Amino acid sequence: MTFINENFLKLSETYLFVEIGRRVEAYCKTHPEAAIVRCGIGDVTEPLPDACIKAMHKAVDEMAARETFRGYGPEAGYEFLRHAIAEGDFRQRGIEIADDEIFISDGSKCDCANFLDILGAGNRILMPDPVYPVYADTNIMAGNAISFSQATAENGFVPAPPDAPADLIYLCFPNNPTGAVATKEQLAAWVAYAHRHDAIILFDAAYESFVRTPDLPKSIYEIPDALDCAVEMRSFSKSGGFTGLRCGYCVVPKAVKGRKQSGGEKSLHALWSRRQSTKFNGVAYIVQRAAEALYSDEGRAQVAALTGFYLENARLLADALTRAGRSFVGGVDAPYLWVKGNKGMTSWDMFAHLLEQAGIVATPGSGFGAKGEGYFRLSAFNIRENIEEACRRLAAISLEKL
Ligand code: MLT
């Protein structure tokens, strides 16, 4: 009989958001009358920007004629999109990223998971707690030992680098799940730590389009020394509403190197390119044209409006929590609010409580790690009517002193 990867046996039985879906579905079955407001998984609700729709219609027409039809595309993405990204997200902001250092993908979740393919066994992994569960789960699958830096109310949910060394560091800002955003000084401390220990940072910037406060960094590469120690992942899921379309990208600067067991070093760019061209077929041409459209003047304005809409949702939720006397962080420059639960309740107790008493789906903080225990996360991705309803219900349950 074929052997299995026993590391999978060390995982919780279901992925966090699958487990939430399962519990909500079970609740709805027994309470068909319940009008649920879903503030759990961060899934977008607003239609795609008009610029994308137009670009996709045009791309569909191209696919309908032999002269303009496209078959297999380049695995790392079409040059038109790699160029638009390198230019629009980096070079125009004074960051020297070459077009071929951009790898188009079907999203950051896959990129941060797949990146482990090109890294060896035995790396010392460091990530915050609480953390986006994909970083932890994929390292467990790979059999890696993980250390956690604790993100707490005391450090504003932005942990400082520890004294102990690490080889691979995961950072995510604006943060999922807490909504905390690191300053340039805080990121610079992590970049200095990475250099001190010859480590690599995997920087997840999936929520950068929500940053509005001037001077807060949107990219790790705003720290000049990061170009030889950091890989950055970005996504169009939340900026352009692409959760269903699927498109993101990974920046792998050629200067980022890893160590060979036999001595010497190797550029991760070459390895990632090899991995992607072998295991990935690229993103659909039509979808890449939609992503390119986000970089037009029209597209940029529409992204600003879309993310502004969710930020206003976050502000409404924050106001409601404040009025309800709840302690929370996030919701500014980020679409998530990280809320302290009721005294004596675990995160899953609080999840059940919010569902049963207020019909609100939240994400239990402990699903993001031990330090998330006692918290819950609210997502601002929803239609306005639902957010307003969630605000009313949050006010009502606070009166009942739940
Ligand atoms: C979340 O709710 O944490 C995200 O939507 C999950 C994801 O992007 O994979």
Side-chain angles (χ1 to χ4, degrees):
M1 195 176 271
T2 313
F3 292 112
I4 58 163
N5 176 352
E6 297 213 5
N7 293 319
F8 276 66
L9 306 179
K10 300 176 198 153
L11 295 163
S12 56
E13 200 157 324
T14 38
Y15 178 57
L16 174 64
F17 292 105
V18 174
E19 179 59 22
I20 291 170
R22 193 188 65 73
R23 293 193 193 203
V24 173
E25 200 185 322
Y27 179 77
C28 289
K29 262 203 187 120
T30 50
H31 299 81
E33 74 297 344
I36 300 292
V37 178
R38 291 172 197 271
C39 296
I41 194 165
D43 197 3
V44 295
T45 54
E46 301 309 299
L48 289 164
D50 200 45
C52 298
I53 299 293
K54 284 196 272 200
M56 284 196 289
H57 278 304
K58 185 159 173 275
V60 169
D61 288 342
E62 287 178 51
M63 296 298 261
R66 182 168 296 122
E67 299 70 43
T68 46
F69 171 79
R70 314 257 183 154
Y72 285 129
E75 291 84 359
Y78 283 100
E79 175 55 24
F80 62 78
L81 181 55
R82 298 174 93 186
H83 179 75
I85 291 169
E87 193 62 31
D89 286 345
F90 299 103
R91 293 197 291 263
Q92 281 172 7
R93 294 162 189 242
I95 298 166
E96 273 316 308
I97 295 289
D99 295 359
D100 68 352
E101 292 175 314
I102 305 288
F103 291 82
I104 310 302
S105 73
D106 56 348
S108 298
K109 178 182 181 179
C110 314
D111 279 340
C112 70
N114 293 336
F115 213 79
L116 290 176
D117 266 11
I118 64 164
L119 303 177
N123 282 316
R124 292 163 296 185
I125 313 292
L126 179 64
M127 62 184 68
D129 177 5
V131 72
Y132 178 44
V134 173
Y135 312 157
D137 283 3
T138 52
N139 274 285
I140 294 170
M141 289 173 184
N144 291 334
I146 309 171
S147 301
F148 293 96
S149 53
Q150 303 189 341
T152 60
E154 288 69 40
N155 59 29
F157 298 94
V158 182
D163 293 330
D167 302 307
L168 181 67
I169 304 146
Y170 288 79
L171 295 177
C172 170
F173 293 109
N175 188 257
N176 180 11
T178 67
V181 191
T183 62
K184 277 190 189 147
E185 293 68 30
Q186 287 168 320
L187 282 192
W190 278 105
V191 169
Y193 171 84
H195 277 134
R196 215 161 38 246
H197 299 293
D198 227 352
I200 290 167
I201 297 175
L202 287 190
F203 190 75
D204 183 351
Y207 298 94
E208 57 77 33
S209 58
F210 292 88
V211 173
R212 294 290 188 275
T213 304
D215 288 338
L216 279 180
K218 286 165 154 277
S219 166
I220 187 92
Y221 304 122
E222 290 180 42
I223 313 305
D225 288 355
L227 277 167
D228 62 358
C229 71
V231 166
E232 182 163 300
M233 288 153 298
R234 291 208 188 176
S235 166
F236 299 113
S237 284
K238 314 295 158 78
S239 59
F242 275 39
T243 54
L245 271 193
R246 306 309 313 154
C247 192
Y249 67 89
C250 186
V251 189
V252 190
K254 294 186 192 87
V256 180
K257 305 219 166 80
R259 210 192 330 254
K260 290 195 273 185
Q261 292 279 0
S262 55
E265 15 182 70
K266 180 81 184 164
S267 160
L268 294 192
H269 182 275
L271 297 184
W272 186 241
S273 188
R274 186 71 177 83
R275 192 256 173 223
Q276 291 297 81
S277 53
T278 308
K279 290 196 177 183
F280 186 56
N281 257 335
V283 172
Y285 171 69
I286 296 164
V287 174
Q288 292 196 53
R289 281 296 184 199
E292 180 195 26
L294 297 174
Y295 291 87
S296 64
D297 289 344
E298 186 193 356
R300 281 175 194 277
Q302 289 166 2
V303 166
L306 198 55
T307 50
F309 171 81
Y310 295 122
L311 282 170
E312 175 60 11
N313 281 353
R315 191 191 66 74
L316 292 171
L317 286 170
D319 281 356
L321 291 167
T322 304
R323 281 195 302 275
R326 288 260 165 210
S327 162
F328 71 96
V329 293
V332 179
D333 298 309
Y336 296 124
L337 298 99
W338 186 243
V339 191
K340 195 103 183 80
N342 291 352
K343 237 193 167 120
M345 280 195 181
T346 67
S347 295
W348 279 109
D349 289 343
M350 197 65 204
F351 166 85
H353 209 54
L354 284 165
L355 183 61
E356 288 159 17
Q357 304 300 319
I360 293 175
V361 179
T363 306
S366 57
F368 298 100
K371 279 281 147 189
E373 185 55 276
Y375 288 88
F376 63 93
R377 191 195 75 174
L378 290 178
S379 154
F381 293 104
N382 216 320
I383 60 169
R384 182 61 47 79
E385 203 185 332
N386 284 349
I387 292 292
E388 286 168 351
E389 182 58 24
C391 291
R392 276 191 289 277
R393 295 184 191 180
L394 285 168
I397 60 167
S398 78
L399 289 177
E400 290 167 25
K401 297 223 181 325
L402 288 172

